[in-house]
């Protein structure tokens, strides 16, 4: 598969409009600061690498053995692709049929990409896919001989994502609520076996055995959104344990902030030929318009709000 | 304990990390926000670690090592899990004005919005989109599961995917026939990538409310526009229908196969699409098309849909509901169409001779006339045709692995159909899982209100029924019975977009 993205004169994912923003627990002051971008990136690496600015001491094996893995990391992360960070700026769009309390954060870069909904005024802000074997060189597919290369073109698109205070932690699977005794009947050892029936779970305290007891002892990467009432994180933010509510008097949802996600694709089409990905109505051959457009947003914002509960564990076998 | 600092001079944050590549401790200090010039060096450290770390030489894998597939993979467990989009947040498929040909046939622009997509727990108690409690209706009254005794996450599905039975991501080799009819054992078969759902999980809810808007023409059809189907809406109205959809179950079948000769059911045997036998999971597989199949080698998929549980679709709103565009409705808790005890399995593709492929070639022009294949901007999704190879189609029909023809019974129906390739949908229980050989005979069975009985006229325990929210008690219920489709084989499926938009 080939992937091309255009924002301005550059291709691929390099553009002056690309402002990833990182914020780590303890480095919040550098969040959302364009000038601090480089420092933020370096701050992330600083936690993982050596640096002259920090004292580094070797831990002895005995000291390393005392690490219990109870301290995790809280991460917040903002990503804007062909879209703009404006903070919590609210505007009144009611005169044009929109909401009176509209949060414009994550709005598309209309001056650069063209107004959302237009697909032809510019080839900026396109993403295209080409599947292997559909590059025109092979010639015959879909019942057609000498077929031209095909591009699935996402025209005039934008995306923004904000992840707020997700916890990354190491944990033992035995701490999961669904490893209690009432769920032991769910265990399916065949899922963890190789083609010869051998168990692929790593050796545990009880040996290399596909058993529920061994699974409980296995470590895993755990992610979750700590909320008030989650006893693992004593200083979780105040707020409802089941945050997120809707006010029917104002038609406004509040506190759906674990992830804010905005997406817009003004049009999609299949275009042909070696330069199909930049076809417009005035190129030769001309573009084919669009068969669908897509949007993910909120009635009162450019970004949808999503809340997560519980934990996600990832482990290998 | 993790403490978050909000400004540079907040409290000390001790942090010790052991890096596997560098035996060192990094101790951060108060002055986290002061980045000296020396820090610029750290941006290159990560690259340096990856390229030259003398203590840990990177050694290339040889082809033999890379080709050995042993089934190792990643397990993804979701514990006490919930995902809730805000009731005002949506995913929208935006339509366009129709072409002249489509408009001439009466087509209009359509826009579809899915609001509040949620995966929540399977408790019988729950909440509606307004956050209010709702009557249970055996769990189908409430789009969002909410159990206040589950203090860690009241909305959570405890074993959405337990660590004992997680989602798995791995590469694997499945035995099967290739497109030319050659049998490949599990060592000779090509490697495929697969994402498998669990085979056991808690019941959970998948819910959203939807808004279908027709003939959107201008800005007047904005937030709060009234519904033109309401006689009081005389200006600036929009044409729309709001509805609510709820699936209360799991993405796993109940795991019973049907025997056409005896009209009985038995536990599903282990197979490619039911690796452990019994309940079948949802599986997505990606691979390269078979070298003998028509066309170039390209991306191919197979997908099997597996679902069991209850389903409700409703449109009725309470008297206080706003019934306005882009505005969350207040659906009534009782009304709608209910499907109880659904069990559905639909396999799209068979290893290794039938797969889903994509192309930008269409066999139809803009007026939907059939033409020679051409590239006109439309796309085709193709579940490829079964090849005319005896070894392949006998495997497709009855799972033959030696090329032999399928045995038939006295009526000419295939004995022992291949459970991997035969889809089914059962709307309602046709048997009790403890006695699957005893199946409801619609001609002779007594009607009743039990979960495994042929449903009586007002039963809510089994089958398909409608609830009239203006009535109460059994008079509100109209049950139309149980239904089933068995043995769906898809020889070829092709879906082509017709570019009805401008």
């Amino acid at each position: 598969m080939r992937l091309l993205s255009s924002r301005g004169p550059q291709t691929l994912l390099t553009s002056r409009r690309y402002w990833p923003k990182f914020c780590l627990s303890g480095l919040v002051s550098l969040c959302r600061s364009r000038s601090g971008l480089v420092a933020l990136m370096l701050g992330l690496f600083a936690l993982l690498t050596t640096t002259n600015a920090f004292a580094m001491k070797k831990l002895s094996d005995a000291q390393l053995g005392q690490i219990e893995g109870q301290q995790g990391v809280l991460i917040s992360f903002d990503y804007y692709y062909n879209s703009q960070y404006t903070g919590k700026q609210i505007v009144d769009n009611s005169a044009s049929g929109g909401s009176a309390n509209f949060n414009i954060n994550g709005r598309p870069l209309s001056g650069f990409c063209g107004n959302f909904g237009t697909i032809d005024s510019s080839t900026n802000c396109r993403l295209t896919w080409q599947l292997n074997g559909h590059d025109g060189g092979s010639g015959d597919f879909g019942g057609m001989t000498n077929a031209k290369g095909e591009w699935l073109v996402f025209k005039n698109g934008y995306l923004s994502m904000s992840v707020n205070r997700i916890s990354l932690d190491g944990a033992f699977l035995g701490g999961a609520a669904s490893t209690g005794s009432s769920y032991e009947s769910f265990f399916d050892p065949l899922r963890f076996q190789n083609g010869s029936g051998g168990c692929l779970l790593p050796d545990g305290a009880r040996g290399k055995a596909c058993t529920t007891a061994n699974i409980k002892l296995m470590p895993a990467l755990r992610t979750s959104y700590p909320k008030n009432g989650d006893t693992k994180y004593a200083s979780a933010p105040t707020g409802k344990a089941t945050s997120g509510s809707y006010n029917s008097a104002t038609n406004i949802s509040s506190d759906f902030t674990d992830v804010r996600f905005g997406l817009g694709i003004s049009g999609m089409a299949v275009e042909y030929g070696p330069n199909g990905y930049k076809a417009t109505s005035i190129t030769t051959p001309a573009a084919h318009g669009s068969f669908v457009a897509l949007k993910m947003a909120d009635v009162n914002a450019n970004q949808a709000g999503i809340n997560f509960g519980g934990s996600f564990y990832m482990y290998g076998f | 304990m993790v403490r978050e600092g909000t400004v540079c001079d907040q409290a000390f944050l001790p942090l010790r990390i052991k890096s596997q590549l560098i035996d060192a401790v990094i101790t951060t200090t108060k002055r986290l926000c002061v980045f000296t010039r020396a820090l610029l060096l750290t941006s290159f450290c990560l690259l340096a670690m990856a390229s030259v770390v003398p203590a840990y030489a990177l050694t290339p894998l040889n082809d033999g090592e890379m080709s050995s597939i042993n089934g190792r993979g990643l397990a993804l467990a979701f514990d006490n899990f919930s995902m809730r989009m805000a009731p005002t947040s949506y995913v929208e498929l935006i339509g366009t004005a129709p072409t002249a040909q489509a408009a001439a046939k009466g087509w209009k622009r359509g826009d579809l919005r899915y609001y509040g997509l949620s995966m929540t727990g399977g408790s019988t108690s729950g909440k509606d989109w307004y956050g209010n409690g709702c009557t249970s209706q055996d769990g189908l009254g409430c789009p969002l599961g909410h159990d206040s005794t589950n203090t860690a996450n009241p909305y959570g599905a405890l074993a959405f995917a337990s660590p004992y039975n997680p989602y798995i991501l791995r590469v694997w080799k499945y035995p099967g026939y290739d497109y030319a009819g050659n049998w490949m054992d599990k060592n000779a078969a090509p490697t495929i990538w697969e994402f498998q759902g669990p085979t056991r999980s808690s019941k959970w809810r998948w819910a959203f409310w939807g808004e279908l808007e027709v003939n959107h023409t201008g800005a007047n059809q904005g937030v709060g526009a009234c519904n033109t189907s309401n006689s009081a809406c005389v200006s600036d109205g929009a044409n729309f229908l709001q509805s609510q959809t709820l699936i209360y179950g799991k993405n796993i079948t109940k795991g019973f196969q049907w025997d056409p000769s005896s009209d009985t059911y038995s536990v599903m045997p282990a197979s490619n699409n039911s690796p452990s036998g019994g309940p079948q999971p949802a599986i997505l597989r990606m691979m390269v098309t078979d070298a003998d199949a028509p066309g170039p080698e390209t991306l191919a998929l197979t997908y099997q849909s597996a679902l069991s549980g209850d389903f409700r679709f409703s449109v009725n709103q309470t008297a206080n509901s706003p019934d306005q565009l882009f505005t969350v409705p207040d659906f009534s808790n009782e009304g709608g169409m209910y499907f109880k005890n659904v069990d559905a399995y639909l396999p799209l593709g068979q290893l290794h001779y039938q797969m889903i492929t994509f192309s930008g070639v269409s066999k139809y022009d803009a007026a939907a006339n059939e033409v020679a294949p051409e590239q006109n901007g439309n796309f085709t999704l193709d579940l490829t045709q079964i090849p005319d190879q005896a070894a392949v189609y006998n495997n497709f029909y009855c799972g033959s692995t030696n090329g032999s023809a399928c045995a038939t019974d006295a009526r000419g129906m295939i004995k022992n159909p291949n459970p991997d390739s035969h889809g089914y949908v059962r709307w309602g229980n046709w048997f009790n899982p403890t006695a699957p050989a005893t199946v409801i005979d619609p001609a002779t069975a007594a009607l009743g209100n039990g979960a495994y009985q042929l449903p009586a006229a007002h039963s809510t325990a089994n089958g398909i029924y409608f609830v009239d929210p203006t009535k109460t008690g059994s008079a509100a219920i109209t049950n139309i019975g149980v239904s089933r489709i068995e043995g769906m084989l898809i020889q070829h499926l092709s879906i082509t977009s017709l570019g009805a938009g401008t």
Side-chain angles (χ1 to χ4, degrees):
Chain A
M1 187 189 300
R2 285 207 285 167
L3 195 74
L4 289 184
S5 166
S6 72
R7 279 162 290 156
Q10 298 99 333
T11 56
L12 298 179
L13 294 174
T14 54
S15 164
R16 63 186 183 279
R17 302 288 175 165
Y18 172 55
W19 291 117
K21 300 178 179 33
F22 292 87
C23 171
L24 276 179
S25 180
L27 299 171
V28 178
S29 66
L30 293 174
C31 289
R32 313 193 193 286
S33 161
R34 288 190 183 186
S35 61
L37 170 65
V38 171
L40 276 172
M41 299 283 283
L42 300 181
L44 178 63
F45 296 148
L47 291 178
L48 303 172
T49 64
T50 60
T51 169
N52 291 338
F54 302 108
M56 296 178 293
K57 300 175 189 171
K58 273 195 176 180
L59 283 176
S60 68
D61 283 348
Q63 287 172 314
L64 286 173
Q66 292 168 0
I67 292 176
E68 296 175 2
Q70 289 182 351
Q71 295 178 354
V73 178
L74 282 179
I75 293 179
S76 294
F77 170 89
D78 283 327
Y79 176 84
Y80 292 83
Y81 177 91
N82 294 338
S83 56
Q84 183 182 10
Y85 170 74
T86 64
K88 295 181 181 174
Q89 192 176 349
I90 304 286
V91 299
D92 183 351
N93 277 338
S94 52
S96 58
S99 163
N101 295 281
F102 194 84
N103 181 343
I104 61 171
N105 193 36
R107 68 180 170 187
L109 299 173
S110 59
F112 180 72
C113 302
N115 290 330
F116 180 72
T118 63
I119 55 174
D120 227 27
S121 57
S122 146
T123 56
N124 291 343
C125 308
R126 285 191 173 189
L127 182 76
T128 63
W129 286 350
Q130 184 176 73
L131 295 180
N132 190 44
H134 287 250
D135 58 359
S138 314
D140 296 354
F141 52 80
M144 189 174 163
T145 55
N146 296 319
K148 298 197 195 72
E150 298 175 337
W151 298 89
L152 178 62
V153 184
F154 300 80
K155 300 179 179 178
N156 192 359
Y158 67 90
L159 182 153
S160 65
M161 183 164 72
S162 171
V163 172
N164 296 304
R165 298 176 53 86
I166 187 169
S167 156
L168 289 182
D169 196 356
F172 292 107
L173 292 176
S178 56
T179 54
S181 56
S182 52
Y183 297 104
E184 292 194 357
S185 59
F186 284 13
F187 180 51
D188 183 355
L190 288 171
R191 299 173 74 74
F192 304 105
Q193 290 180 358
N194 61 20
S196 311
C199 179
L200 292 170
L201 291 178
D203 289 344
R206 296 163 198 258
K208 199 169 196 170
C210 278
T211 63
T212 55
N214 200 21
I215 286 183
K216 282 185 183 172
L217 298 173
M218 285 177 57
L221 174 69
R222 173 180 181 253
T223 68
S224 63
Y225 284 88
K227 294 181 172 57
N228 195 23
D230 186 334
T231 55
K232 280 187 165 52
Y233 296 91
S235 68
T238 57
K240 298 175 280 297
T242 56
S243 59
S245 61
Y246 170 73
N247 183 333
S248 56
T250 57
N251 196 36
I252 294 176
S253 302
S254 306
D255 292 332
F256 284 91
T257 55
D258 288 348
V259 172
R260 300 299 304 254
F261 188 86
L263 169 75
I265 301 170
S266 299
M268 290 168 59
V270 183
E271 305 292 356
Y272 305 100
N275 297 318
Y277 59 88
K278 53 184 182 181
T280 66
S281 57
I282 57 173
T283 56
T284 304
H288 291 91
S290 164
F291 56 73
V292 73
L294 196 64
K295 191 172 180 187
M296 187 166 167
D298 188 275
V299 172
N300 301 298
N302 282 313
Q303 296 173 320
I306 309 172
N307 272 2
F308 290 89
S311 302
F312 166 72
Y313 293 88
M314 185 166 71
Y315 53 103
F317 61 92
Chain B
M1 181 177 77
V2 174
R3 293 165 65 192
E4 182 182 9
T6 55
V7 294
C8 289
D9 56 352
Q10 276 215 343
F12 175 71
L13 178 65
L15 190 64
R16 291 181 179 178
I17 299 170
K18 180 188 175 211
S19 160
Q20 284 192 334
L21 294 178
I22 300 177
D23 265 339
V25 171
I26 303 159
T27 304
T28 61
T29 69
K30 270 187 203 180
R31 310 221 9 121
L32 286 171
C33 301
V34 177
F35 289 91
T36 67
R37 184 166 300 198
L39 281 177
L40 291 172
L41 298 175
T42 68
S43 66
F44 302 105
C45 284
L46 197 61
L47 288 175
M49 280 159 51
S51 56
V52 179
V53 182
Y56 298 91
L58 299 170
T59 56
L61 290 172
N62 61 40
D63 285 352
E65 288 169 320
M66 289 207 292
S67 69
S68 65
I69 303 299
N70 56 16
R72 288 190 184 276
L74 279 177
L76 312 173
F78 294 83
D79 180 68
N80 203 7
F81 177 75
S82 68
M83 182 211 82
R84 293 176 296 129
M85 270 178 72
T88 48
S89 293
Y90 58 86
V91 176
E92 182 176 18
L93 297 175
I94 305 171
T96 60
T99 59
Q101 297 96 333
K105 305 282 188 190
W107 288 93
K108 295 183 170 41
R109 168 177 165 169
D111 297 286
L112 195 58
R113 286 177 286 274
Y114 299 87
Y115 293 81
L117 294 157
S118 300
M119 292 187 276
T120 54
S123 61
T124 49
S125 57
K127 289 189 185 289
D128 65 12
W129 305 107
Y130 281 30
N132 298 324
C134 48
T135 54
S136 171
Q137 304 289 314
D138 295 333
L140 291 169
C142 316
L144 304 173
H146 187 273
D147 178 5
S148 53
T149 65
N150 181 355
T151 52
N153 180 18
Y155 288 107
L158 271 168
F160 184 90
S162 160
Y164 294 146
N165 203 316
Y167 282 81
I168 57 176
L169 198 61
R170 66 180 185 182
V171 291
W172 197 253
K173 286 170 174 277
Y174 284 96
Y177 280 103
D178 67 10
Y179 194 82
N182 303 309
W183 176 258
M184 300 177 289
D185 66 18
K186 65 182 181 195
N187 293 317
T191 305
I192 57 99
W193 173 94
E194 70 175 2
F195 184 51
Q196 262 198 41
T199 55
R200 302 279 193 288
S201 79
S202 301
K203 245 177 142 175
W204 51 277
R205 281 180 177 80
W206 163 247
F208 60 90
W209 71 269
E211 194 170 67
L212 169 63
E213 187 187 354
V214 178
N215 205 26
H216 179 97
T217 52
N220 287 339
Q221 285 133 357
V223 177
C226 57
N227 195 331
T228 54
S229 64
N230 185 340
S231 57
C233 181
V234 294
S235 65
D236 292 344
N239 315 302
F240 62 94
L241 174 68
Q242 293 168 327
S243 65
Q244 174 177 249
T245 301
L246 165 61
I247 301 176
Y248 181 48
K250 49 185 92 163
N251 54 336
I252 308 167
T253 66
K254 294 183 181 175
F256 291 90
Q257 67 170 351
W258 179 65
D259 176 22
S261 301
S262 61
D263 190 15
T264 58
Y265 291 86
S266 59
V267 174
M268 191 74 65
S271 65
N272 280 353
N273 290 354
S274 179
S276 307
Q280 295 148 302
I283 304 178
L284 172 68
R285 296 179 171 128
M286 292 176 70
M287 69 279 301
V288 177
T289 50
D290 188 81
D292 298 309
E297 284 195 348
T298 186
L299 174 72
L301 308 178
T302 65
Y303 177 67
Q304 67 181 46
S305 165
L307 174 71
S308 64
D310 307 323
F311 173 85
R312 176 184 172 215
F313 177 80
S314 71
V315 296
N316 183 262
Q317 302 176 22
T318 64
N320 300 323
S321 183
D323 195 18
Q324 293 171 353
L325 196 65
F326 291 107
T327 309
V328 183
D330 189 7
F331 293 100
S332 64
N333 293 331
E334 299 83 14
M337 185 164 72
Y338 292 70
F339 294 81
K340 278 289 185 72
N341 306 315
V342 177
D343 191 12
Y345 168 71
L346 187 65
L348 299 174
Q350 294 298 317
L351 299 173
H352 300 267
Y353 49 81
Q354 185 187 49
M355 296 159 189
I356 301 169
T357 58
F358 309 91
S359 79
V361 176
S362 170
K363 295 185 178 120
Y364 298 90
D365 63 15
N369 300 312
E370 196 163 355
V371 296
E374 62 181 28
Q375 289 176 314
N376 57 18
N378 290 304
F379 72 90
T380 297
L381 188 149
D382 208 41
L383 178 62
T384 57
Q385 188 166 353
I386 299 292
D388 190 10
Q389 288 279 349
V392 172
Y393 59 68
N394 284 319
N395 176 269
F396 189 56
Y397 296 148
C398 62
S400 169
T401 56
N402 57 12
S404 59
C406 294
T408 55
D409 65 12
R411 295 173 298 167
M413 294 181 74
I414 290 177
K415 282 186 181 178
N416 308 314
N418 183 351
D420 279 351
S421 59
H422 286 66
Y424 57 83
V425 185
R426 300 158 194 156
W427 292 278
N429 284 327
W430 280 79
F431 57 94
N432 187 324
T434 58
T438 305
V439 180
I440 289 175
D441 182 345
T444 59
L447 303 182
N449 294 320
Y452 304 110
Q453 291 182 284
L454 190 61
H458 306 298
S459 170
T460 60
N462 198 18
I464 306 166
Y465 61 92
F466 295 84
V467 176
D468 182 346
T470 65
K471 299 193 170 83
T472 57
S474 60
I477 315 292
T478 306
N479 193 310
I480 61 172
V482 293
S483 181
R484 59 178 171 168
I485 301 175
E486 300 284 352
M488 281 192 294
L489 277 179
I490 304 178
Q491 310 266 359
H492 180 209
L493 176 67
S494 186
I495 299 173
T496 304
S497 68
L498 290 179
T502 53

